[in-house]
Structures are given as C-alpha cells and as structure tokens.
Amino acid sequence: MENSAYFINLEDQYGAHNYHALDVVLVKGDGVWVYDIEGNKYLDCLSAYSAVNQGHNHPKIKQAMIDQLDRITLTSRAFRTDKLGLFYKKLAEMTGYERSLPMNSGAEAVETAIKVARKWGYVSKGIPRHKAEVIVADGNFHGRTITVISFTSTHQYKHDFGPFTPGFPMVEYGNIEAIKEAINENTAAIMLEPLQGESGIIIPPKGYLKAVEELCHENNILLIADEIQTGLGRTGALFACEHDNVRPDIMVIGKALSGGFYPVSAVLADDPVLGLIVPGDHGSTFGGNPLGAAVAIAALEVIEEENLIQNARDMGEYIMDYLQELPQKNILEVRGKGLLIGIELKHELGGARQYAEILKEKGILIKETSEHVIRIAPPLILDKETADWMLSVLREVLVTE
Ligand SMILES: *Cc1c(COP(=O)(O)O)cnc(C)c1O
C-alpha cells in the first residue's frame, strides 16, 4: 500500500498543486545519487536547483548539523551566539566582501538586497525619497515574493497576483544600450543574474557584464548580482561574475550555502553599502540562527576542501565537449558554464518535459528549464566515471533513439 502511487496521491489530494513534479518518490540521497521508494537509483542532475552542490547528505555538513542540534538551534537575533560571527568571518574570508546579512530563502535575500540598495540610493546617493529605481533584465528569475514577481517577465508568475511593487524598469538581457537608456538620476542599482538559469541557461554576450559594471561605476549605481543559483562553485568559479572579472557591489547567495540541509541565504557587500543598515532596519526571526550558521560554515568548507570549484570546471568542460560533438539530430544548442549546462532541443520535438520522463526511466533525474531546455546540473562532486555513464545515456536518448 505504501508505494509510489500512495505518496503521489497524498500530495495530489492534500497539497496545493504549485509544482508539476515528476512521479518519482525519493526516500534517500547519497552524493550524486538519489533513491526512490521502490529502491531504484538515479543520478540527480538537478541538485535541487543547485542547492546540493556538495552532494546529498554530505557527511561533514550532516555532522556539523548534528553537533549544533545537540547544543542550541535558535536564539533569534535578539541575542548573540558563538556561531554567527564565525559564519560572517568565513563568508568574508572566502568571498572578499567585508560584511554580510543572513536570511533564509533566496527570495528573501533578493528582497534584502533591494532594500539595501534603495537605502544606499537615498542616504548615500541622495535620490529623492520613494523614487529609487532598480533596473532588472527580462527573462530574470529572482524568486516568488510579490515584490520579486513585480519585475518578472514570465506571464504566469505574475498574471494573477497583482498589484505590484513599482520601481523596477526592465531592459533586454544582454543589451548594454538598453541599460544606458534606462539609467536616470534615480537609478540606485542594476540587478542581474550573470547567467540566467531558470530562463534556459542564457549566457549574455561576451563583455556585457563588464560593460554593465563600468556603467555602474560611471553613474554611481550599485551592481547587484543574483548568484543564488550560479554562485558557490556551480559554474567553475566561486561566483560566475569572476569569469568576466566583475565584482558586483552586492552579491546575493543562497541555495548551496547550506548544502541542502537548511534554508540559508545571504547578502554580501562592503561597509559603505551594508554598513548603512542599522538596528531595526531589517530582520528575520530565523536569519543567522546558530543551526543555519553551523551548517553554512561546513557547507562552505566542503566547497574549498574538496576542490569543488575546480571539479565543476573540469567536469563541465569534459561534458560540454562531449555534448557539443554529438550529432545534432535532436539538439539545437548546447551551452553552459562549469556544471550548469543546458541542452536546447529542437523546438519541433515539442518540449523537454517528455525527455525528463524518458531519462527518469533510464536512471537520470532532470527538470526542463524553460520549455525546450534540459538542464544538466549534477552535484559538483561528480566523478568522471559517473559523467561517462550519464553521457552514454544522454547519447542513447538524444541521438540513437
Ligand atoms: C532559486 C533562485 C532564487 C530564489 O530562491 P528561493 O530560495 O527559491 O527563494 C532567486 N534567484 C535565483 C537566480 C534562483 O535560482
């Protein structure tokens, strides 16, 4: 009775239907592998949208969590703990940003970054109160709160959910001229993903990010990078912005910051920006709690100790080279950076979803990103043997069959 169908029915009967999940009921995860209730084993090529870069149930992060569970889990920020300062210090040393502000979900961190940028706009830049603008790009994905969906270009994400938050002019992603036109004296910030993951692994033209950074410097505007998905090693660099030698003023991270154990996100910036936040400006009951901080410290250490950034670069190149050599048959384009790779299928095939179903039967879990793109984003601990197996299955499904 307690088989897959039982649990799928429970979800369908009692839950809100806000996801179109694949019908696989997972009960265990270990490294790059996950297991369903019938005992089938799958390679996880989604990694919870890059939240488990370190692999499922990483033993070191798990131990850090257990150790902290034995001590104290939540104090609220009304009191100090012996973990939060260490978390700040680790973030500063690893990323080079002087300060950080911890939150829980990615969307909350994006909201936080917007608040920080607006305050900077008023206090530092002298923008008239309530006039600050944050320029965003079409095709963006920054989360699901009301303010964040106020500036999505995805119809379904906002259609039934207005009224919206004003102050977010939208420009074409990858078009530097469009940004120049959108800038005015009230522009506080420009917020971008250095590579758009949810939009289908969209890589902007070469030089774009650098040009945006220069525009920001020339016009006294903050550059905010949303690296919730692309950051922490995923693209073969600590931050995807590094590929273009860009250092944003505000960096937003989440997802892999906790290796999948706990929601932890953060906004990173230097003192002239994050130093503007004073007691009472912003807060979160759970943000910065000692359990999350302990987990995040361990998750960051794993990225360094296991050379996950280098491995993402090496494995990513290896996989991209192979995929780009494949006969084109069903494939329109292969693109990506590190282990964030998109295979865009020819549109006449009718969407990537059916391939998610087929690959599931062959032991690979993927989720289509935008309609026609298969996203290959396994945990960054992927080894060559597993990559070879994965590639042989992809070849079989995309070329041979
Ligand atoms: C996942 C994601 C978010 C939102 O994170 P949540 O934790 O789901 O709120 C924001 N930006 C990007 C780029 C993401 O990939």
Side-chain angles (χ1 to χ4, degrees):
M1 130 106 162
E2 290 187 359
N3 55 12
S4 289
Y6 172 73
F7 292 104
I8 291 167
N9 284 335
L10 282 183
E11 288 192 6
D12 287 350
Q13 184 176 347
Y14 295 109
H17 293 182
N18 58 328
Y19 278 87
H20 182 195
L22 279 186
D23 283 339
V24 56
V25 177
L26 300 177
V27 294
K28 185 174 141 62
D30 181 16
V32 299
W33 304 103
V34 290
Y35 300 81
D36 72 13
I37 192 163
E38 272 90 28
N40 299 307
K41 175 180 173 181
Y42 305 89
L43 176 65
D44 181 2
C45 277
L46 181 62
S47 308
Y49 301 90
S50 297
V52 286
N53 284 358
Q54 298 89 339
H56 288 274
N57 278 23
H58 193 288
K60 172 171 170 151
I61 310 172
K62 180 163 98 185
Q63 194 57 51
M65 187 160 188
I66 291 169
D67 291 346
Q68 192 58 39
L69 284 171
D70 283 336
R71 300 177 69 221
I72 191 166
T73 55
L74 183 65
T75 60
S76 88
R77 293 285 307 282
F79 311 115
R80 296 177 186 268
T81 68
D82 66 349
K83 282 292 168 308
L84 182 56
L86 295 173
F87 177 36
Y88 287 152
K89 182 164 179 276
K90 181 73 198 164
L91 278 174
E93 285 170 359
M94 197 163 162
T95 69
Y97 286 98
E98 292 169 0
R99 294 187 182 278
S100 51
L101 199 169
M103 296 296 285
N104 311 284
S105 70
E108 280 178 308
V110 170
E111 294 255 359
T112 302
I114 293 166
K115 286 177 74 174
V116 170
R118 283 181 169 184
K119 179 156 190 189
W120 175 88
Y122 299 130
V123 174
S124 246
K125 183 165 171 169
I127 296 172
R129 208 57 58 178
H130 303 313
K131 295 287 184 211
E133 295 185 352
V134 176
I135 297 173
V136 298
D138 66 359
N140 72 70
F141 184 85
H142 298 291
R144 301 293 207 152
T145 57
I146 291 286
T147 286
V148 172
I149 60 153
S150 296
F151 51 84
T152 179
S153 55
T154 305
H155 180 75
Q156 198 200 347
Y157 293 174
K158 71 187 298 186
H159 185 57
D160 288 326
F161 303 110
F164 303 113
T165 310
F168 300 97
M170 186 180 298
V171 299
E172 187 191 356
Y173 188 61
N175 179 345
I176 193 72
E177 293 306 319
I179 294 190
K180 280 184 194 161
E181 277 169 35
I183 288 174
N184 62 48
E185 68 280 4
N186 293 334
T187 307
I190 299 172
M191 181 165 67
L192 296 170
E193 299 153 87
L195 177 172
Q196 292 183 332
E198 291 313 300
S199 223
I201 321 292
I202 308 296
I203 302 170
K206 198 140 190 56
Y208 173 70
L209 290 175
K210 195 72 197 169
V212 175
E213 183 184 52
E214 279 162 13
L215 266 185
C216 285
H217 290 169
E218 285 162 17
N219 292 281
N220 194 26
I221 292 168
L222 299 178
L223 176 58
I224 307 174
D226 178 349
E227 294 234 26
I228 291 168
Q229 184 161 163
T230 53
L232 303 179
R234 172 53 59 186
T235 70
L238 181 62
F239 296 121
C241 283
E242 291 172 13
H243 295 295
D244 296 274
N245 198 21
V246 164
R247 184 179 188 270
D249 303 288
I250 300 181
M251 176 63 75
V252 189
I253 57 176
K255 293 199 168 121
L257 184 51
S258 62
F261 281 82
Y262 199 82
V264 183
S265 62
V267 170
L268 314 174
D270 288 336
D271 196 52
V273 174
L274 215 36
L276 296 174
I277 295 296
V278 299
D281 271 359
H282 191 54
S284 161
T285 303
F286 279 83
N289 72 73
L291 184 59
V295 162
I297 293 167
L300 291 169
E301 283 172 357
V302 166
I303 292 171
E304 291 178 321
E305 288 164 8
E306 300 188 14
N307 284 319
L308 295 188
I309 296 172
Q310 184 67 44
N311 194 56
R313 189 154 53 220
D314 295 345
M315 282 295 117
E317 257 171 43
Y318 181 71
I319 290 168
M320 283 273 281
D321 286 350
Y322 181 95
L323 291 174
Q324 283 175 333
E325 292 294 304
L326 281 182
Q328 293 276 286
K329 198 171 173 233
N330 295 327
I331 301 172
L332 192 61
E333 190 184 35
V334 177
R335 53 180 182 259
K337 268 194 186 141
L339 279 173
L340 188 53
I341 298 171
I343 306 173
E344 182 160 357
L345 302 171
K346 291 189 175 160
H347 294 197
E348 60 265 29
L349 294 170
R353 172 79 188 191
Q354 54 185 317
Y355 288 89
E357 304 278 358
I358 296 168
L359 285 164
K360 174 176 79 105
E361 295 309 314
K362 295 184 185 288
I364 294 180
L365 293 186
I366 63 119
K367 169 83 172 73
E368 72 277 11
T369 170
S370 83
E371 202 183 338
H372 301 285
V373 181
I374 291 174
R375 166 172 31 200
I376 306 291
L380 309 185
I381 57 170
L382 183 76
D383 61 29
K384 185 165 171 301
E385 190 191 339
T386 309
D388 282 334
W389 171 79
M390 173 189 82
L391 290 170
S392 71
V393 174
L394 286 173
R395 165 184 275 276
E396 189 183 312
V397 170
L398 296 176
V399 181
T400 320
E401 286 182 354

